[in-house]
Amino acid sequence: MSQSDQFLTTARRVINREAEALSLLSQHIGDAFAQAAQMVLDAKGRVIVTGMGKSGHIARKIAATLASTGTPAHFVHPAEASHGDLGMIGRDDVVLVLSNSGETPELADLVAFTRRFKIPMIGVASNPESSLIRACDVGLILPAVEEACDQGVVPTTSTTMTLALGDALAIALMEHRAFTADNFRMLHPGGKLGARLTKVRDLMNDDMPLVSEDLPMKDTINVISEKGFGVVGVTDNEARLVGIITDGDLRRNIGDVLRKTAREVMTRDPLTISPDALAEKAVARMDERAITCLFVRDPAENGRPCGILKIQDCLRAGVV
């Protein structure tokens, strides 16, 4: 077997072992999980997530996922907790403790603190008879499976199951709270996720290029030039958007355009978008029609435009 084949064989073995472990975890999960979720919902404070070593890295990720999906949470390092960071844990909080063995010595002071002040504690471990599980209010037991390495010592399968359990808890709480995409966007204003969840109203310009139907094209062209969008919207007597004039419309009427009104040159029933639509959807519409601007109309405003969106604004915001 070549070295390349050996690498691939190992990779597939590791992934298959972890996939089997996750399947077993799904079957193993029970009432204790529901009790843990309810304990978090009942807490008036935050979820304090803690763990040592590899479990600590997983704890940081779980705390971040909880916080970003509507459950206030933060990570406390168990070793630092013994040197003053216990003050970061309040009596209204709930503590989620991760330890595969359930016997991690660095957790002792933190566990004792929660017991002394009757702070609710959820433990995650693979040994149901461990010190952690015996001490906690709700114990989430990981099924007994081998680690992914042949030596069975490297935290791999166990950390994958713990992470999946944390994700399951975060999403269960998120769905119970009816945490929406709008809520998620508020907590993720930056980066690719924030860009994907940006709405049209967040990027549109309210200084719109608009003219009335009866305006002579000489004046209409001046508005197009002044506003700098390359288009102008045409409105009726009730300020409803009834048409649009683009460079293409001007070229089609080049011979006698200055003798016409906006009504005579405009393209009727232009493509528009709602202010509450995702900017990503607006970009897709512009791509389909090979256009660079979209007027924005709020259905509640009876066809009146409330803004204009340029594709350049979407691109600058990272919406692609």
Side-chain angles (χ1 to χ4, degrees), residues 223-247:
V223 173
I224 295 175
S225 300
E226 289 171 5
K227 294 293 185 178
F229 288 93
V231 299
V232 67
V234 184
T235 58
D236 63 12
N237 292 334
E238 297 182 9
R240 294 175 300 192
L241 186 71
V242 293
I244 188 173
I245 297 175
T246 67
D247 290 338

Side-chain angles (χ1 to χ4, degrees), residues 6-22 100 143-161:
Q6 288 176 342
F7 287 151
L8 292 174
T9 298
T10 300
R12 294 186 180 109
R13 185 188 71 240
V14 170
I15 293 170
N16 287 336
R17 282 185 182 177
E18 296 196 359
E20 290 169 3
L22 290 177
N100 186 43
V145 295
E146 294 181 355
E147 298 290 5
C149 67
D150 283 339
Q151 293 78 16
V153 295
V154 180
T156 46
T157 306
S158 58
T159 51
T160 297
M161 288 192 296

Side-chain angles (χ1 to χ4, degrees), residues 55-253:
S55 291
H57 295 303
I58 298 301
R60 289 181 187 274
K61 164 58 171 65
I62 292 174
T65 301
L66 286 166
S68 70
T69 52
T71 300
H74 65 257
F75 171 79
V76 171
H77 195 289
E80 296 295 336
S82 300
H83 295 274
D85 281 2
L86 285 174
M88 299 172 69
I89 306 174
R91 299 195 183 194
D92 289 334
D93 295 334
V94 57
V95 178
L96 176 60
V97 184
L98 313 180
S99 170
N100 186 43
S101 68
E103 301 293 349
T104 307
E106 291 88 349
L107 293 170
D109 289 339
L110 190 148
V111 170
F113 182 82
T114 67
R115 303 303 81 191
R116 178 183 177 187
F117 293 103
K118 296 181 172 56
I119 299 171
M121 183 175 71
I122 303 165
V124 179
S126 60
N127 182 3
E129 301 301 322
S130 62
S131 300
L132 173 61
I133 297 301
R134 290 201 306 268
C136 68
D137 298 293
V138 175
L140 301 178
I141 311 301
L142 301 174
V145 295
E146 294 181 355
E147 298 290 5
C149 67
D150 283 339
Q151 293 78 16
V153 295
V154 180
T156 46
T157 306
S158 58
T159 51
T160 297
M161 288 192 296
T162 305
L163 180 59
L165 193 61
D167 286 344
L169 180 62
I171 301 304
L173 294 167
M174 172 184 170
E175 292 183 355
H176 178 83
R177 292 191 170 105
F179 191 83
T180 65
D182 283 341
N183 301 134
F184 194 79
R185 182 172 61 89
M186 289 175 62
L187 300 177
H188 296 76
K192 189 63 178 178
L193 280 175
R196 286 186 60 194
L197 295 170
T198 299
K199 290 194 173 183
V200 168
R201 68 168 67 255
D202 299 321
L203 300 177
M204 71 183 190
N205 299 272
D206 54 15
D207 184 19
M208 297 169 284
L210 296 174
V211 299
S212 66
E213 291 179 285
D214 297 325
L215 191 71
M217 279 305 299
K218 178 181 178 181
D219 298 321
T220 300
I221 292 172
N222 287 336
V223 173
I224 295 175
S225 300
E226 289 171 5
K227 294 293 185 178
F229 288 93
V231 299
V232 67
V234 184
T235 58
D236 63 12
N237 292 334
E238 297 182 9
R240 294 175 300 192
L241 186 71
V242 293
I244 188 173
I245 297 175
T246 67
D247 290 338
D249 295 314
L250 295 178
R251 288 194 297 271
R252 283 188 288 274
N253 292 272

